[in-house]
Amino acid sequence: MECYRDRVHILAFVSLLFVCPVVHGWGVDGHHTICRIAQPRLSEAAADAVKQLLPDSADNDLGSVCSWADRVKFHYHWSSALHYIDTPDNLCTYLYNRDCKDENGVKGRCVAGAINNYTNQLFSYGNTDIQYNLTEALLFLSHFMGDIHQPLHVGFTSDKGGNTIDVHWYTRKSVLHHVWDDNIIDTAEERFYDSNVDELVNAIQKNITTEWADRIKTWETCSGNKTTCPDTYASESIRAACDWAYKGVTEDSVLEDQYFLSRLPIVNLRLAQGGVRLAATLNRIFG
């Protein structure tokens, strides 16, 4: 096991060195929050497996490498299509067989398909004959569980999930997708948490044990005894995209307090759900 661990650590570390730090998906703080919520919720077996698989440079902190999958997109070109799902404009629905494909129409190449794939790879943990780099599988799965909970990662095809909708976030130019990746979280941190992401994590964790406590079991549960349920998460995201992200926004909209304060609870909810479900998935994988 130690030889295998050393090998995958080296591979993961080399991959990190190959690239420039480019941020997509939830921003760094969004992914950090989801992984920080997940790790304390791991069972003893899952926590040990994660500790064994994490690169040594992470110092057993899953949150510190939760954005790794964004940083390697220019090295692993094939992985870019795995971060999102494009759905038909204005239908506000998601169907795996219709929507989970890349720009060339290759089926299964979307964030839901990637979650299924890396979940299945991680089931080989502990086997003597391992065909996969399980460190990378863990990092991809952790990241993609975050991406699929960002509403505009399951957005409309024509605007690429809000990436082509120019807006102003208060006085700064942005695009709608970036507003949901970064701007809402960054503004919340500045206004309510002394620009400290750990304070944001603590506030969401507190809500998980109080305001949302009666919802947690439902969030964790997968129908049909599945290990993970990305189709459920994607369906929630496209509904949230229609009800909250796209609603009331047109090209060159100026988004200020009314938008920020009404959408922040949705962002916090999706971060919480992503963290709880990542932990539940890893607990089912590692037993």
Side-chain angles (χ1 to χ4, degrees):
M1 184 66 180
E2 283 300 316
C3 289
Y4 166 75
R5 184 184 174 200
D6 290 343
R7 178 172 62 84
V8 294
H9 285 182
I10 291 168
L11 286 171
F13 183 67
V14 168
S15 295
L16 283 167
L17 290 178
F18 244 93
V19 294
C20 299
V22 177
V23 178
H24 301 283
W26 291 113
V28 168
D29 284 2
H31 283 291
H32 174 93
T33 297
I34 286 169
C35 284
R36 280 288 179 88
I37 290 167
Q39 196 161 9
R41 302 182 65 85
L42 296 178
S43 66
E44 184 176 348
D48 180 68
V50 167
K51 182 177 181 180
Q52 295 297 320
L53 290 173
L54 281 175
D56 291 334
S57 58
D59 196 24
N60 197 31
D61 178 8
L62 183 60
S64 70
V65 287
C66 212
S67 292
W68 172 86
D70 277 335
R71 299 188 185 109
V72 298
K73 281 197 284 191
F74 293 103
H75 178 50
Y76 293 163
H77 297 285
W78 51 265
S79 71
S80 294
L82 304 182
H83 291 253
Y84 62 89
I85 300 166
D86 285 335
T87 69
D89 291 6
N90 301 310
L91 284 186
C92 300
T93 62
Y94 157 80
L95 295 172
Y96 184 91
N97 289 334
R98 181 191 68 196
D99 302 328
C100 190
K101 59 184 184 299
D102 64 18
E103 292 181 348
N104 295 317
V106 179
K107 297 287 188 179
R109 282 183 45 78
C110 77
V111 67
I115 288 171
N116 288 329
N117 177 45
Y118 289 110
T119 294
N120 290 334
Q121 287 190 23
L122 287 168
F123 273 119
S124 64
Y125 177 78
N127 294 350
T128 55
D129 182 22
I130 298 172
Q131 302 176 1
Y132 307 108
N133 183 331
L134 296 189
T135 292
E136 294 191 353
L138 172 65
L139 300 188
F140 275 128
L141 176 62
S142 299
H143 184 90
F144 293 146
M145 283 291 286
D147 278 349
I148 203 168
H149 282 83
Q150 204 274 57
L152 287 176
H153 273 251
V154 193
F156 298 156
T157 300
S158 66
D159 57 50
K160 301 183 183 298
N163 272 296
T164 65
I165 301 176
D166 293 321
V167 297
H168 279 79
W169 182 249
Y170 294 88
T171 59
R172 290 175 291 174
K173 289 184 178 180
S174 188
V175 296
L176 185 61
H177 189 97
H178 188 74
V179 166
W180 283 77
D181 276 353
D182 288 287
N183 294 141
I184 294 174
I185 292 172
D186 290 347
T187 300
E189 288 175 354
E190 293 166 5
R191 194 173 294 189
F192 304 125
Y193 304 111
D194 295 323
S195 297
N196 187 333
V197 65
D198 291 331
E199 292 300 316
L200 170 64
V201 174
N202 291 339
I204 294 176
Q205 286 177 323
K206 183 177 180 180
N207 281 343
I208 288 171
T209 60
T210 54
E211 179 182 351
W212 298 322
D214 60 346
R215 307 190 204 179
I216 301 305
K217 190 164 186 63
T218 301
W219 293 354
E220 292 176 327
T221 301
C222 263
S223 61
N225 294 318
K226 295 178 183 177
T227 305
T228 192
C229 290
D231 291 343
T232 297
Y233 318 149
S235 294
E236 292 171 349
S237 278
I238 185 57
R239 287 196 297 270
C242 288
D243 292 345
W244 297 100
Y246 286 117
K247 191 171 184 178
V249 178
T250 57
E251 184 76 8
D252 294 324
S253 285
V254 178
L255 307 180
E256 298 182 302
D257 273 1
Q258 190 280 329
Y259 191 92
F260 166 61
L261 295 172
S262 60
R263 273 58 174 184
L264 178 59
I266 308 304
V267 169
N268 287 341
L269 177 67
R270 296 305 279 165
L271 293 172
Q273 289 175 318
V276 167
R277 286 163 167 169
L278 172 58
T281 297
L282 293 174
N283 287 339
R284 287 190 284 266
I285 291 170
F286 295 117

